[in-house]
Structures are given as structure tokens and as C-alpha cells.
Amino acid sequence: MSEDSIHGPADDTAECGRRRFLSRLSIMVGSIAGVIVAIPSVAFLLGLRKVPHVWRTVGKLEDFQIGTTVKVAFLDPSPLPWSGVTARTAAWLRRETAQQFIAFSVDCTHLGCPVRWLPDANLFMCPCHGGVFYANGTVASGPPPKPLTQYPVRVQNGTVQILTSPLPITT
Amino acid sequence: MRIIRFVWNWFDEITGVSGWLIPLAKHPVPHARRSAWFYVLGSATLFVFIVQIVTGIALASAYVPSAGQAYHTLAFISGTRFGHIVRGIHSFGASAMVILIGIHAIRVYLFGAYKYPRQMGWLTGVALLFLVLGMAFTGQLLRWDQTGFWSVVIAAEQAGRTPFIGNWLGHFILAGDTAGGATLSRFFALHVFFIPALIFFFIGFHLYLVVRNGISEPPKIGQPVDPKTYRRWYHDLLHREGVPFWPDAAWRDAVFGFLVIAAIVALAVVVGPPVLGKPPDPSIIEASPRPDWYFLWYYAVLSLIPRWSENYVIILGPAILIIVLILLPLIAYKGERSPFKRPWAFGIVAFIVFMIAYYGTVGHVAPWSPRMSAPPLPASVIGATSGPVADGAKVFRDKGCEFCHKISGYGGIRGPDLTYAGDRMTPEQMETRIYSGAPNMPSYNGNITQQQLSDLLAFLTSRRRRPATALPLSSSSK
């Protein structure tokens, strides 16, 4: 071993063993120090903020006409105090019958751009790559691989409510 | 004067700075002769990085990395006279870094300077290239206007295509279920602490390697690298005809670096920083997010590849690029360095530059994006103010046809230009296409009334060079 030749007799096995022990000790305590700092830091970084799904009221039942699709905006389930306008979410809400609604995520299933509703054409169109969806959310043309994601929606005490959901990610 | 000398001698005696600084500055480098100006690109990248640090610190002193406030703080910074300029310098500096590190990599590749013993110089350079691109992306995002916000969503969607962990990875980028309060802070930390720390590390390593292995000499035909003899040969070369780095070579670095920085500052003053878009409110859905110019080519490639290959290209494309760049110096570490003996090197560089320029231009035009803000066709183009043709023009607008089809210069270019549709297609052919749709056109079956269809056909058949009477089936009112 090279360090034996620096100081101390090379044939002194006790000295050699002592140095090997000290080397290993230093590397070990250094590694442990690194690990005990890294574990909480990395765990915090990797930990995703899970939020409960809550029903958000988006309007009164009579605000929505049967057969029309309108944009509704609502707040995330538990916005952070500094979220500002980013806490808002939009959805396309369609009243099918007196009691039945469909709510679509505005995110195109291709790459997540916000799709727009063309009321006269009865189509959703994505401004990014021209993905088109029919009024029921199925793909009409273009690159989207899946129909528009739907949010659960319900009618409660004369109000329309949407269940907040994570951003849909097409995998 | 004597005081200064006294202080310096005292400082030098207890620190030994001159003992390593002067030999470092004066270390011999090959006489580059006619190639000398090719050797200024790396240092210029470093100088611009320092510009980015200075302006970045200035911006960070006023920027608030909060999802609700970042946009307003940027508007505030842009509203001050010098904040406006500093933002401009930081923005043009970012572009300059991407350009310079790209040309520097091309120069090193063409000169074969990645061969023995400088393979690790290339590999650390590859790391720096991707870190700089990471800075460019996160920087665009920190603008935190509407485009910045949707860039995060699109990045998360792209990461979502990763096999097995896609969904987790996508939400990891968002820092939670949705893009919101936690997301921006994450990218701020990446842009301001994490990536710069890695850049510092790799720059230090990169420069250490440059000094340890020496600056590569300009390649000569018939002078292949042999790892067995190269170091001795290079040592003899320096001994024979080396010149001190400072100032014989360094003056060019200084002059070129000055010109680059002067150009950046001039552009910042004259052109100014990128304009802030709409606020990052996800409920404002009138958004058409576009990447900054450095990623336009990638945006275009992803938009133009066949749809089935999308998942592979999004994940495998960058992976293969990284693997090729890593393998290059490990496989081709010896032999001829001169690009004239490696003609395919010219070919590869020309191909890459052409692809980035061509697809960058295509990405700028983005023909695949519907033009949803196109103005309605004016009456002069329609050629009628009432009757079936005028009604058909309204149908053409209302059904979204115009967003993808251009007529007389108005509308999108996703689908075919219909300015002279009446010359090319019969009403029957048009009707078939409108009912059946196409891969990039929705079917209007059940989505259009008989009256609307006949008006639309009247309008489309009236789109022609020749008078409308030429086709017997025309229902045009012209």
C-alpha cells in the first residue's frame, strides 16, 4: 500500500491496520453524514403534494341551457396562499338533459394545451397541433390519442358541482 | 507605488498566488496560426455565462418566485429603465449561450479535439450543453406568463410518455396534482441553484482538463492521434513552437468576448426583453403556447413525425442523442483529426445545422397549428353580401373551416388552401370530404344541416380563377 511508504515502517502491520481502520472510519462517517442529510431532502423533493378531491360549485342549475357547452372556472381543492391565479382551473361543461351534465378537462390529451369550444361547429379544437374533439369528447381528428378527460359532475341542491381532479396526463 | 508593492508581496508571500497563477496564465499553447480565431468560442461561452450570473443575480433581487406574484414582479422589473435592459441582457445572453456552446461543440467536433487525451473534455462539454439547454427551458418558464405556464403543462405531458413511471414523472414536474403554487418554486430552484451548481462543477472540471491536457493543436492532414505517442509529441510541439497563453492567445478571447457582450447589450437596449404575455391564469384558455426559438426545431419535429412514432421519439430521441454524444469520444478516440480526412464530419454538421435551421423555421410558422385568431373573410374575398355564397362563407367561418384552410390569404394552413377549391373539386367531392373527414379533418356528418351544407358548397365552388359558369353543377350566385 502506498501510504505505508510515506510514514512509518512498511513492515509494521499494527500501524498499517490502524491506518486502514482510520481510512474506513473517515469514509464511513462521511457517507453516513451524507445519507442522513440526503434522505429528508430527497424525500421532501420527491414527495408530491396530494390534495383531496372536493366538489366545487360552478353555478346554479338554471344557469346552464340544455345542449350547450360553456366554460366554467373553479378553484383547486386546496390552493396554496401564494398560488394566485394559478389556483384556478377551467373545464368545459355541457348540459345534456335536465339533470345530466358532462364536464371535460380543457387539457388536450395530446400535449395538454387548452382546447377551445367552437359552439357553431359543435367541436373542440386545440390551438397547438389542431386536435379536434366532438361535443361528446371523442377524437374527431388530429393527433390526440384519447378522448377528452371527463371530470365527475353532479347536481346538488340546485347547483352544479364538479369534482376537482389531478391534471390528466396521457401516458 | 511602494505601498502597493509591499501589500502585494505580503499577500503573495502568505498565499503563494503568483506561484500558480503566473505559470497558469503563461502556460504554453500551440501556435494556432490561421485557425487561431476558431479557439475563442469556449471562452466566449464562459464570458456570457458570467454575464448571465451578474444579470441573473440582479433579476433575482427583485423577482418573487411565487406562482401568484412572479408575473407581477417581472412586469415591475420590465417597467423600470434598467430592469428592462437587464432583462434584455439576460434574455439575449441566454440565446448567445445556446448559440456559442453549439458552435463551440461543432468546432471541437470538426477539429477532432475530442480524441485522446481530451475525451473527458468532450464529455464534460456534453454535460454543459444539456445543462445550458436546461437553463434555457427553465428560464423561459420563469417568465411565468401564459406561455410559461403552459410550457410546464406540456413538459409534464411529454414526460408522461415515459414508460412505467410517466404519470408519476409528469406530476413530479408539476410538483403535485396540478400546476400551481408549488410548481414555479421548483423551477426557480432548478434555474437558480441546482443547474448553475452543476454548471460551476462541470466548468471547473472542463477548464482543469483544458490546462492538464493542453489546448488541442489545429489538426493537420496526415497527423493522426496515436494514444501511445501523443502526449510526448504534444509536449515536444509546445517546447518547439508553443506561445504563452497570456497574452498571445488570450487577447483574441478578450476581443471576441467583448464583441459578443457588446452585441448582447446593444440588442438588449435596442430590442429589449421578450414581451410578457397574458397572466398565467389556467382559466384563460385563449392560449397558443410556443417554445422559445431554441426548441422550435424540436417542437416542429414532434409535430411532423408520424403519429405512431410520437411516444418513441419523445423519449428515445433525446436518449439516443445523448448516447451518441457520449459514445463518440469513447469509440473514435484516435486516428485522423483533420475534418478533410473525415468528410462525413462535415456532412453530419451540415445535416444538423440544416435540420435545426429548417425545422426551426417550420416551427416558427407552425403550419400544423390552426389559426384560431384569423379574422373573418372580408366581403371583397367572399364576393357577395347576401345569398348562398355569403351564407356559405359564414358557415365556413362558424364551422371552424377557416382556422385550417386558407382562402385568398385569410385563415390557417393546416389543411389545403381552398382559394381555388372550385377549380379542383366538384361539389360531390367536397360533400364527400366534408362528411367523411380525414386524419386531420373532423367529419361533419351529423354536425351540419342540409341548408348549411348547400350554402357551404355554393361558397366553395365559387372559389375559382375562371368564371363560375364553367362548371355546370355550380350553385354559385356569382
Side-chain angles (χ1 to χ4, degrees), chain A residues 73-145:
Chain A
F74 52 95
L75 274 186
D76 283 347
S78 65
L80 294 163
W82 58 91
S83 291
V85 290
T86 60
R88 294 156 65 88
T89 308
W92 291 110
L93 183 65
R94 178 176 182 81
R95 186 169 187 182
E96 294 277 75
T97 64
Q99 292 294 313
Q100 260 196 326
F101 285 81
I102 315 180
F104 298 106
S105 155
V106 297
D107 299 287
C108 180
T109 53
H110 179 224
L111 286 175
C113 294
V115 297
R116 297 184 215 176
W117 172 247
L118 309 179
D120 297 309
N122 265 323
L123 296 169
F124 295 100
M125 189 180 264
C126 178
C128 287
H129 298 90
V132 183
F133 302 86
Y134 291 118
N136 63 3
T138 53
V139 179
S141 68

Side-chain angles (χ1 to χ4, degrees), chain B residues 46 53 55 74 76 100 142 193 235 244 297 308 314 366 424 446 470:
Chain B
L46 178 60
I53 294 171
T55 52
L74 261 184
F76 165 76
L100 286 168
L142 289 192
F193 298 110
H235 183 264
W297 64 275
W308 60 266
I314 287 177
R424 288 190 287 114

